[in-house]
């Protein structure tokens, strides 16, 4: 198992390196850069901006070739943990993103737990009680969850919470707790707010995994080994959890590889709608103004999450199914 994990970790290194190159190139593809946007804004204000822009271009190294800019950016990350400077905010990228990354990871992990807690039991029930009323209801709710855009669901839930329950909407805490030290009252207020983005972001993922779990389990329930175990007198619950559910979990576990980055990147519109202090609005703004080091760092982190998610799914699959270790 140790060798299996080591091989997967070694595969991650060239993957992340290639992703960083592609990310940097894509961000540089649009014509112009941040200073061109700044010059246009200063020109509209009627200022003489040529000398200022040239000074900033020399300061940030934007006049250098792309490969030189990439080399400085990547060596700064690897050797000093320096992700560069945010042009718009004129502060290190790390100072801008770490606080928002904490909230993003917290919401993503809680959403992932919510997805699994909902999708696993409902998917098992839908497969075992195939074509029952509960199965039809779960199927209907699953299709609704897949069909409704997250931002639309967020708007509806915010309206209902404000109109009928008098709850402040937008953000993770009420306005009176902003920039206040953490107290028990603030924690309670956070819990009253954080469930909504978790539910909104996790709805589509849970709906998709319910369908996946149902389909996988239906493929296993009528296999000969299940019939044999039942004929030997094994209890239905023990039989279900020991054999078909364990096999059906393989594709279910492999979805971690795409769920983690989807949760982080897919909450951008939801974060804008709900005014969440996460990386989504920050990435959107960085892309709009071509703040390349900030945007590149955020995209690199999302890409790294994809690789880490794939590693976790590989390790969990090897743990659940020993056959994978020997392949």
């Amino acid at each position: 198992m140790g060798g299996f994990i080591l091989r997967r970790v070694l595969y991650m290194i060239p993957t992340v390196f290639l992703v960083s190159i592609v990310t940097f190139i894509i961000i540089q593809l649009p014509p112009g850069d941040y200073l061109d946007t700044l010059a246009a804004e200063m020109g509209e204000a009627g200022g003489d901006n040529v000398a200022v822009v040239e000074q900033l271009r020399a300061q940030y190294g934007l006049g250098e070739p792309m490969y030189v800019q990439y080399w400085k950016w990547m060596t700064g990350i690897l050797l000093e943990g320096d992700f560069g400077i945010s042009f718009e905010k004129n502060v290190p990228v790390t100072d801008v993103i770490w606080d928002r990354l904490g909230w993003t990871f917290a919401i993503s992990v809680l959403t992932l737990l919510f997805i699994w807690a909902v999708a696993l039991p409902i998917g098992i029930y839908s497969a075992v009680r195939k074509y029952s009323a509960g199965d039809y209801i779960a199927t209907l709710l699953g299709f609704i969850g897949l069909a409704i855009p997250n931002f639309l669901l967020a708007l509806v839930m915010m309206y209902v919470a404000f109109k009928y329950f008098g709850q402040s909407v937008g953000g993770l805490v009420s306005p009176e707790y902003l920039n206040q030290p953490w107290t028990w009252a603030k924690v309670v207020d956070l819990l009253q707010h954080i469930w909504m983005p978790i539910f909104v972001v996790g709805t589509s993922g849970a709906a998709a995994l319910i369908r996946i779990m149902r389909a996988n389990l239906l493929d296993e329930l009528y296999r000969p080994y299940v019939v044999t175990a039942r004929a030997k007198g094994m209890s239905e619950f023990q039989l279900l959890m020991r054999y078909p559910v364990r096999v059906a979990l393989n594709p279910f576990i492999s979805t971690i590889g795409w769920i983690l980055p989807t949760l982080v990147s897919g909450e951008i519109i939801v974060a804008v709608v709900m005014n969440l202090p996460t990386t989504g609005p920050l990435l959107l703004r960085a892309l709009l103004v071509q703040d390349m080091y900030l945007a590149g760092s955020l995209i690199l982190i999302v890409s790294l999450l994809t690789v880490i998610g794939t590693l976790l799914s590989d390790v969990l699959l090897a743990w659940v199914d020993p056959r994978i270790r020997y392949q």
Side-chain angles (χ1 to χ4, degrees):
M1 192 66 175
F4 175 84
I5 296 175
L6 180 61
R7 287 196 303 272
R8 290 296 188 271
V9 172
L10 292 177
Y11 293 156
M12 290 173 58
I13 297 174
T15 303
V16 174
F17 174 69
L18 291 175
V19 166
S20 68
I21 294 177
V22 174
T23 298
F24 200 82
I25 292 175
I26 291 176
I27 291 175
Q28 298 263 23
L29 285 179
D33 52 32
Y34 170 75
L35 293 182
D36 293 326
T37 304
L38 178 63
E41 293 177 353
M42 293 174 66
E44 291 177 358
D48 184 10
N49 53 60
V50 176
V52 175
V53 169
E54 290 304 320
Q55 179 184 354
L56 291 174
R57 194 177 298 277
Q59 176 183 341
Y60 292 140
L62 294 181
E64 297 175 338
M66 185 187 300
Y67 66 89
V68 175
Q69 296 180 43
Y70 171 78
W71 174 255
K72 290 182 177 180
W73 180 56
M74 189 50 58
T75 52
I77 293 175
L78 295 178
L79 300 180
E80 303 174 11
D82 181 12
F83 286 81
I85 296 292
S86 171
F87 299 149
E88 184 179 30
K89 301 180 183 299
N90 198 29
V91 295
V93 169
T94 51
D95 294 345
V96 178
I97 65 175
W98 288 128
D99 183 53
R100 287 178 176 256
L101 274 177
W103 284 116
T104 301
F105 290 153
I107 293 176
S108 298
V109 171
L110 291 174
T111 304
L112 184 61
L113 295 177
F114 165 76
I115 289 173
W116 276 54
V118 171
L120 187 60
I122 294 180
I124 294 174
Y125 175 84
S126 294
V128 174
R129 298 287 185 265
K130 183 176 63 172
Y131 304 139
S132 65
D135 180 30
Y136 284 126
I137 293 173
T139 300
L140 175 63
L141 293 177
F143 286 147
I144 292 175
L146 289 172
I148 299 178
N150 286 346
F151 73 91
L152 181 59
L153 181 61
L155 288 172
V156 172
M157 292 189 64
M158 289 171 68
Y159 173 79
V160 172
F162 178 77
K163 177 73 174 179
Y164 297 102
F165 298 98
Q167 179 179 340
S168 64
V169 292
L172 292 178
V173 293
S174 300
E176 59 267 23
Y177 290 108
L178 289 176
N179 302 320
Q180 297 296 321
W182 284 99
T183 61
W184 178 247
K186 186 174 181 178
V187 172
V188 172
D189 187 73
L190 171 66
L191 295 177
Q192 292 175 347
H193 285 77
I194 200 172
W195 68 270
M196 192 178 297
I198 290 173
F199 180 84
V200 170
V201 176
T203 300
S204 58
L209 288 189
I210 287 172
R211 307 306 302 163
I212 292 174
M213 188 63 193
R214 181 183 185 276
N216 293 340
L217 192 54
L218 281 175
D219 288 340
E220 300 295 330
L221 283 178
Y222 303 102
R223 295 290 178 91
Y225 71 86
V226 177
V227 177
T228 302
R230 186 178 289 115
K232 290 184 176 181
M234 182 177 292
S235 68
E236 198 66 26
F237 179 78
Q238 183 182 8
L239 183 154
L240 181 69
M241 301 307 295
R242 186 172 181 180
Y243 296 116
V245 168
R246 184 177 180 183
V247 175
L249 279 176
N250 284 12
F252 194 83
I253 292 173
S254 65
T255 57
I256 295 177
W258 58 264
I259 279 184
L260 276 178
T262 300
L263 292 178
V264 176
S265 60
E267 54 84 40
I268 293 179
I269 300 179
V270 174
V272 172
V273 171
M274 304 187 74
N275 192 29
L276 301 178
T278 57
T279 57
L282 199 62
L283 175 58
L284 180 60
R285 177 63 185 172
L287 291 173
L288 288 175
V289 301
Q290 294 181 285
D291 193 345
M292 66 178 188
Y293 291 133
L294 179 56
S297 299
L298 290 172
I299 295 175
L300 182 63
I301 290 171
V302 172
S303 303
L304 186 61
L305 277 177
T306 306
V307 178
I308 293 175
T310 303
L311 173 65
L312 289 176
S313 63
D314 288 343
V315 173
L316 288 174
L317 282 172
W319 177 63
V320 172
D321 190 348
R323 295 171 299 177
I324 297 176
R325 306 174 206 170
Y326 304 112
Q327 292 176 356

